[in-house]
């Protein structure tokens, strides 16, 4: 008789390939496994509900999504973009630098790569392609590459998902993402500078020096959001979930009171959009929780750990293998599925090799984000392609130098743990 676990994996793959959402596919596959094993099918529902209702941290996800959506519909994104333009727009290839810097700033508020690409990305692509100063494919490529920074710099929805499966502190994970996120922004700006000089890109019209104080003043209410958010978390005033609620309220308060840019109708549409996004992630989490029960019943993590022990991999060898595996998985799976299904399998091995789990979390999240711009799946590639109407092949060709730069950053993040853990340790982390 065919093994029930093998059949559930086969069914999961077939349903996903057939176009069913990965969350629903996991729920179906788990239900089939339970039926073939003769278990009560209510176990799936019980596991799902216990996982969702016992995790207070998960409440942060819809709140961060709402905060990002409010910033997009309001004028916060516009003012932040103008501020970034005032900072770096005067250099050669300036709008490319503005693209990266705006992602660095916006990522301190949204926690989502997709929110960054859809919100700020649409605006900056329009600015870059105006009057033919940059090709649409180049604008799309650097927008997709810079959007990967969003979930690395806190707040970060993927970090919340990793905290769920690893039982690590969300606050320390947020802190651990700060330096890697800045490094990713730096290597992208260096690559943009090299390309700008090689191709002789124009020096863009910059914000006059006399206007910089005014632009900065107009952006201050928006710029205060990450200060309030992170200051509250690390000052011990708020939990990450409470901080997410504050972020959503503050974004709405600033948009309505200071910028007067959100109507009741727009706010209603924003709530609907946030609810849809939350439901999509919720189904994925629900599916992952039920499928984790199957994986645990089959003792997969321990079996895999014992199998890897036969190869006598060193810590370095294991980390290289993890990077190769997750980059490959990123080509075909979405980041949430990787973090919720695949990562828990490798956590016992990482612990056995003495790898710090906060450092490991940053590694897997960075890999998952790079998967968003890695063909053939590359969700961010499809988003920027739909915005620019450019062929995917042209965007990928322009993306290659930025991918190389990000792989260099990934190498530093992977093999220099002190670089990642410096800030968490400064804030009291003892790992």
């Amino acid at each position: 008789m065919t093994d029930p676990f093998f059949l559930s994996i086969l069914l999961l793959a077939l349903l996903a390939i057939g176009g069913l959402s990965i969350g629903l596919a996991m729920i179906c596959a788990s239900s089939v496994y339970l039926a073939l094993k003769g278990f009560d099918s209510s176990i799936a529902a019980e596991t799902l509900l216990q996982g969702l209702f016992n995790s207070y941290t998960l409440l942060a996800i819809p709140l961060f999504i709402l905060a990002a959506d409010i910033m997009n519909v309001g004028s916060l994104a516009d003012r932040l973009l103008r501020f970034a333009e005032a900072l770096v727009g005067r250099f050669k290839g300036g709008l490319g630098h503005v693209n990266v810097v705006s992602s660095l700033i916006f990522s301190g508020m949204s926690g989502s790569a997709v929110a960054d690409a859809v919100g700020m990305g649409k605006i900056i692509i329009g600015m870059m392609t105006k009057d033919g100063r940059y090709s649409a494919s180049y604008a799309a490529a650097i927008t997709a590459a810079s959007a990967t920074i969003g979930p690395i710099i806190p707040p970060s929805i993927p970090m919340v998902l990793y905290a769920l499966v690893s039982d690590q502190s969300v606050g320390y994970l947020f802190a651990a993402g700060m330096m890697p996120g800045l490094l990713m922004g730096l290597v992208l700006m260096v690559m943009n500078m090299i390309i700008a000089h090689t191709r002789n890109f124009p020096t863009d019209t910059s914000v006059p020096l006399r206007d910089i104080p005014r632009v900065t003043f107009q952006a201050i209410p928006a710029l205060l959001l990450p200060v309030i958010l992170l200051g509250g978390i690390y000052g011990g005033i708020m939990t990450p979930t409470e901080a997410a609620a504050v972020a959503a309220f503050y974004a709405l308060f600033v948009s309505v009171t200071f910028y007067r840019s959100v109507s009741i109708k727009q706010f209603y549409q924003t709530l609907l959009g946030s609810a849809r996004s939350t439901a999509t992630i919720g189904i994925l989490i629900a599916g992952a929780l039920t499928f984790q029960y199957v994986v645990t019943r089959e003792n997969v993590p321990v079996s895999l750990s014992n199998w890897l022990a036969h190869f006598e991999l060193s810590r370095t060898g294991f980390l290289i293998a993890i990077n190769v595996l997750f980059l490959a998985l990123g080509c075909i799976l979405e980041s949430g599925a990787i973090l919720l299904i695949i990562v828990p399998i490798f956590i016992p091995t990482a612990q056995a090799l003495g790898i710090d789990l906060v450092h490991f979390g940053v590694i897997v999240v960075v890999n998952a984000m790079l998967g968003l711009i890695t063909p053939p799946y590359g969700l961010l590639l499809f988003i920027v392609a739909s915005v620019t109407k450019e062929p995917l092949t042209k965007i990928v060709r322009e993306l290659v130098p930025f991918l190389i730069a990000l792989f260099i950053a990934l190498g530093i993040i992977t093999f220099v743990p002190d670089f990642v853990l410096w800030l968490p340790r400064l804030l009291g982390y003892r790992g």
Side-chain angles (χ1 to χ4, degrees), residues 25-266:
M26 285 188 289
I27 292 173
C28 292
S30 302
S31 300
V32 168
Y33 172 86
L34 293 173
L36 292 175
K37 279 284 193 177
F39 296 140
D40 188 342
S41 59
S42 65
I43 291 176
E46 182 184 351
T47 304
L48 188 157
L49 292 173
Q50 284 181 352
L52 289 176
F53 288 111
N54 290 340
S55 182
Y56 174 68
T57 303
L58 286 179
L59 282 174
I61 293 175
L63 293 168
F64 279 134
I65 291 173
L66 179 60
D69 287 347
I70 291 173
M71 285 185 284
N72 282 334
V73 76
S75 62
L76 274 76
D78 295 326
R79 294 174 191 272
L80 291 173
L81 193 55
R82 186 68 173 163
F83 175 71
E85 189 178 10
L87 286 181
V88 295
R90 65 191 69 255
F91 303 112
K92 196 171 187 67
L95 284 179
H97 295 314
V98 170
N99 197 319
V100 177
V101 171
S102 63
S103 288
L104 284 168
I105 297 173
F106 193 70
S107 65
M109 306 176 192
S110 70
S112 166
V114 173
D116 193 349
V118 171
M120 195 75 78
K122 284 182 179 178
I123 303 170
I124 188 65
I125 286 174
M127 291 172 60
M128 292 182 72
T129 55
K130 186 179 180 181
D131 301 326
R133 286 178 289 178
Y134 300 83
S135 68
S137 55
Y138 184 81
I142 193 170
T143 298
S146 65
T148 61
I149 301 170
I152 310 303
I153 290 183
S156 165
I157 292 173
M159 292 290 190
V160 174
L161 295 179
Y162 176 79
L164 175 68
V165 299
S166 66
D167 198 29
Q168 296 300 299
S169 162
V170 175
Y172 288 138
L173 284 165
F174 279 5
M178 184 67 75
M179 295 304 291
L182 293 175
L183 174 64
M184 291 168 70
L186 176 63
V187 298
L188 289 177
M189 291 181 72
V190 169
M191 184 56 69
N192 177 67
M193 181 182 66
I194 293 170
I195 295 173
H197 282 86
T198 303
R199 300 186 188 180
N200 197 28
F201 283 163
T203 301
D204 301 298
T205 304
S206 60
V207 176
L209 290 174
R210 66 178 180 276
D211 290 343
I212 291 179
R214 176 179 57 81
V215 171
T216 303
F217 179 76
Q218 290 176 342
I220 283 176
L223 292 170
L224 281 176
L225 179 53
V227 176
I228 295 171
L229 198 64
L230 301 179
I233 293 173
Y234 300 122
I237 302 170
M238 299 177 280
T239 66
T241 302
E242 291 165 346
V246 170
F249 173 78
Y250 183 81
L252 179 62
F253 177 78
V254 169
S255 296
V256 172
T257 306
F258 286 90
Y259 299 146
R260 302 183 185 277
S261 57
V262 177
S263 66
I264 294 176
K265 182 179 179 180
Q266 286 175 318

